[in-house]
């Protein structure tokens, strides 16, 4: 006799169809019975995390690499622990489905004081709380299960942002017919052909004989258009840049790479290329205060061709609706049609970094990130935590093929350790490199236990600079609130299951020691590498110095 097909089976089959092969989460009594469905699935694998916040971060990192992720928590205490991560996924366009195990329907109907609730007999408080940070939500019932599961997952995939499903264990085991249609039958195209025709004609009239620079950013990655963008770059001669949010979208070692644009904090060559050109082509660009040094960009909108998520514009004239993939295709066609495109000359060439300190001297922040960058390879997923790590790595050239992730919009410290776990699981052929400060690491360091269990063998570079250095740069340089407890970081991996067989412990205090340690880390691929780097608590990367000045209250 075959096993009965249930609503839980339907849900997890749809999650697998959307692109996940793992589900993150923490067990709780309201989700335990349908976690059995994951364990029994031949399409999904359960990855348990040390807490629900870390589950959300791990799912976020997984979604950035895979294009979709799912996590399961319990009602109330679990889901509220995860809501910070969900908000980050919303702000940063990471498509994560959050499945919440809820009290049985009979318990909800009784309106009694059930654990994990507020004790008021009301069970929709928390679904209301996630409304601002999700694109779709539903409480699954036997009557709506198929339609609501499909609707929420489709919205997550379409909008590249989180969704939420509340599922009671008694509903989860109800019978249902397996899906008979595809979750996504065909890719929906919102583009108006009339708008596209007018946009193309406007490009033909606007582009010729103007000095031109291209700026790309986050949405190119989130919509999976990297190859399309690289094809445009390959077929033209214009210089290009990204904001730090879109870092590593393009080859940063090309002579046409102007550098990372950051408003007034930009290097002169990239500032000139962006702000003094006659035509600035923006592709998937979204400005934030941290990527533009407090919105200090000085760009004349009259010269801008702006390709965005569902619209395009030229000198402020909008053409909509047009999907980014379609506007990018038309731009490519026009720029290679034989019209005269004039590359904006770069005022200077990007010079190789000259080390400022000696190899036997303490590590300096203006050397540190260059030394790290030079020892990365195309196989690395770099997760840079919001702080000195993010601003340090944003301002240096990374090897082509490296993918660099940060969280400059949401900026939740501690994000990168569990996100690095999720990214590595999503792309097992790549190796995560986590760049994080000691203050940030204290929030989520326990997730290295799962890294060791999963044997993903990341490289964790922990900057031990005695506190919240990024906050010191903004305000309160010597105030107690920017201090953190003293920790023995070298013993931390052992506390979470590290040993000689699965972990390599390293420490560097000088530039020479850092180079040797990074080389050893690159050579040691069969273990997690935990590298503690000692830095002065008042030393900050040059880009952070400029941006923190702009962000001072």
């Amino acid at each position: 006799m075959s096993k009965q097909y249930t609503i839980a089976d339907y849900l997890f089959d749809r999650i697998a169809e959307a692109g996940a092969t793992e589900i993150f989460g923490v067990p709780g009594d309201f989700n335990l019975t349908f976690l059995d469905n994951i364990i029994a699935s031949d399409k999904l694998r359960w990855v348990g995390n040390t807490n629900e916040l870390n589950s959300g971060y791990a799912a976020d990192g997984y979604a950035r690499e895979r294009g979709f992720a799912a996590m399961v928590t319990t009602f109330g205490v679990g889901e509220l622990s995860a809501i910070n991560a969900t908000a980050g996924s919303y702000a940063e366009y990471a498509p994560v489905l959050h499945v919440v195990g809820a009290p049985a329907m009979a318990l909800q109907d009784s309106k009694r004081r059930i654990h994990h609730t507020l004790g008021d007999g009301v069970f929709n408080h928390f679904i209301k709380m996630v409304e601002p940070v999700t694109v779709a939500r539903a409480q699954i019932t036997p009557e709506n299960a198929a339609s609501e599961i499909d609707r929420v997952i489709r919205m997550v995939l379409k909008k590249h942002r989180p969704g939420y499903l509340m599922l009671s264990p008694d509903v989860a085991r109800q019978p249902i017919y397996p899906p008979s249609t595809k979750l996504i039958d065909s890719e929906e195209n919102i583009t108006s052909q009339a708008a596209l025709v007018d946009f193309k004609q406007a490009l033909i009239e606007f582009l010729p004989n103007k000095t031109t620079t291209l700026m790309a950013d986050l949405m190119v990655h989130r919509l999976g258009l990297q190859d399309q963008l690289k094809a445009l770059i390959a077929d033209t001669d214009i210089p290009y840049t990204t904001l730090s949010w879109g870092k590593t979208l393009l080859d940063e070692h090309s002579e046409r790479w102007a550098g990372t644009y950051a408003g007034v904090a930009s290097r002169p060559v990239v500032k000139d290329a962006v702000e003094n050109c006659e035509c600035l082509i923006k592709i998937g660009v979204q400005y934030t205060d941290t990527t533009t040094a407090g919105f200090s960009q000085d760009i004349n909108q009259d010269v801008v061709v702006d390709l965005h998520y569902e619209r395009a514009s030229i000198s402020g004239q909008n053409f909509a609706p047009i999907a980014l993939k379609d506007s990018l295709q038309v731009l490519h066609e026009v720029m290679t049609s034989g019209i005269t495109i004039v590359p904006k000359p770069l005022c200077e060439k990007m010079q190789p970094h000259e080390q400022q300190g000696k190899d036997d001297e303490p590590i300096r922040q203006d050397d540190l990130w260059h030394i790290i960058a030079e020892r990365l390879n195309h196989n690395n997923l770099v997760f840079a935590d919001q702080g000195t790590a993010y601003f340090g790595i944003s301002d240096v050239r990374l090897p082509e093929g490296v993918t660099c992730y940060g969280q400059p919009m949401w900026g939740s410290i501690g994000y990168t350790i569990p996100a690095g776990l999720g990214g590595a699981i999503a792309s097992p052929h790549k190796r995560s490199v986590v760049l994080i400060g000691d203050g940030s690491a204290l929030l989520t360091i326990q997730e290295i236990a799962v890294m060791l269990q999963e044997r993903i063998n990341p490289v964790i570079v922990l900057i031990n600079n005695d506190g919240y250095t990024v906050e010191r740069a903004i305000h309160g340089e010597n105030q107690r609130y920017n201090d953190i407890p003293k920790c023995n970081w070298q013993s931390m991996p052992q506390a979470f299951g590290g040993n000689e067989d699965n972990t390599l412990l390293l420490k560097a205090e000088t530039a020479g020691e850092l180079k040797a340690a990074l080389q050893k880390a690159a050579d040691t691929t069969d273990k997690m590498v935990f590298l503690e780097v000692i830095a002065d608590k008042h030393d900050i990367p040059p880009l952070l110095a400029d941006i923190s000045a702009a962000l001072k209250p």
Side-chain angles (χ1 to χ4, degrees), residues 222-419:
R222 296 300 191 265
L223 297 175
L225 302 177
Q226 298 97 308
D227 289 344
Q228 199 175 339
L229 174 62
K230 288 177 181 177
L232 171 66
I233 294 295
D235 289 346
T236 60
D237 296 318
I238 55 176
Y240 55 82
T241 177
T242 69
L243 285 83
S244 61
W245 214 1
K247 189 166 178 62
T248 64
L249 276 173
L250 296 168
D251 180 8
E252 298 180 2
H253 284 269
S254 165
E255 291 186 353
R256 293 158 58 195
W257 169 248
T260 304
Y261 181 72
V264 296
S266 305
R267 295 174 187 268
V269 60
V270 65
K271 195 172 192 298
D272 176 68
V274 169
E275 297 180 0
N276 295 327
C277 62
E278 296 170 326
C279 173
L280 176 64
I281 298 172
K282 291 166 48 183
I283 303 177
V285 173
Q286 294 195 12
Y287 298 129
T288 81
D289 55 348
T290 55
T291 62
T292 61
F295 302 109
S296 62
Q297 68 272 15
D298 183 14
I299 296 170
N300 179 1
Q301 293 308 306
D302 290 341
V303 309
V304 172
V305 175
D306 191 359
L307 278 57
H308 217 276
Y309 180 33
E310 293 182 343
R311 63 171 174 82
S313 67
I314 300 177
S315 300
Q317 179 185 357
N318 283 306
F319 303 86
I322 300 177
L324 183 58
K325 65 180 179 64
D326 294 326
S327 59
L328 185 53
Q329 178 60 37
V330 162
L331 176 68
H332 193 160
E333 291 171 4
V334 172
M335 293 187 74
T336 55
S337 64
I339 65 173
T340 303
I341 303 295
V342 182
K344 171 75 169 77
L346 296 180
C347 63
E348 62 180 276
K349 288 187 176 182
M350 291 277 285
Q351 299 298 322
H353 174 67
E354 292 186 13
Q355 190 171 310
Q356 301 300 298
K358 296 179 180 178
D359 274 358
D360 60 353
E361 293 177 345
I363 295 165
R364 300 165 49 125
Q365 288 273 356
D366 52 5
D367 290 329
L368 169 60
W369 306 104
H370 291 278
I371 293 171
I372 290 174
E374 289 165 2
R375 283 152 184 83
L376 296 171
N377 63 58
H378 69 280
N379 199 43
N380 289 141
L381 298 175
V382 175
F383 289 85
D385 219 84
Q386 198 65 21
T388 52
Y390 181 81
F391 293 107
I393 208 68
S394 293
D395 200 33
V396 303
R397 288 196 284 189
L398 297 180
E400 187 174 15
V402 168
T403 302
C404 187
Y405 292 122
Q407 216 191 27
M409 184 67 230
W410 188 239
S412 189
I413 63 173
Y415 160 79
T416 54
I417 293 177

Side-chain angles (χ1 to χ4, degrees), residues 14 26 50 124 139 146 173 207-208 250 264 387 408 432 437 457 459 462 499 506 517 529 544:
R14 283 308 208 194
V26 176
T50 57
N124 65 348
Q139 180 172 2
R173 56 177 168 261
L207 290 177
L250 296 168
V264 296
S432 280
N457 300 330
V459 177
L462 184 138
N499 55 49
L506 299 169
V529 177
L544 177 56

Side-chain angles (χ1 to χ4, degrees), residues 39 128 263 278 451 544:
I39 300 301
K128 286 199 243 180
E278 296 170 326
M451 289 178 157
L544 177 56

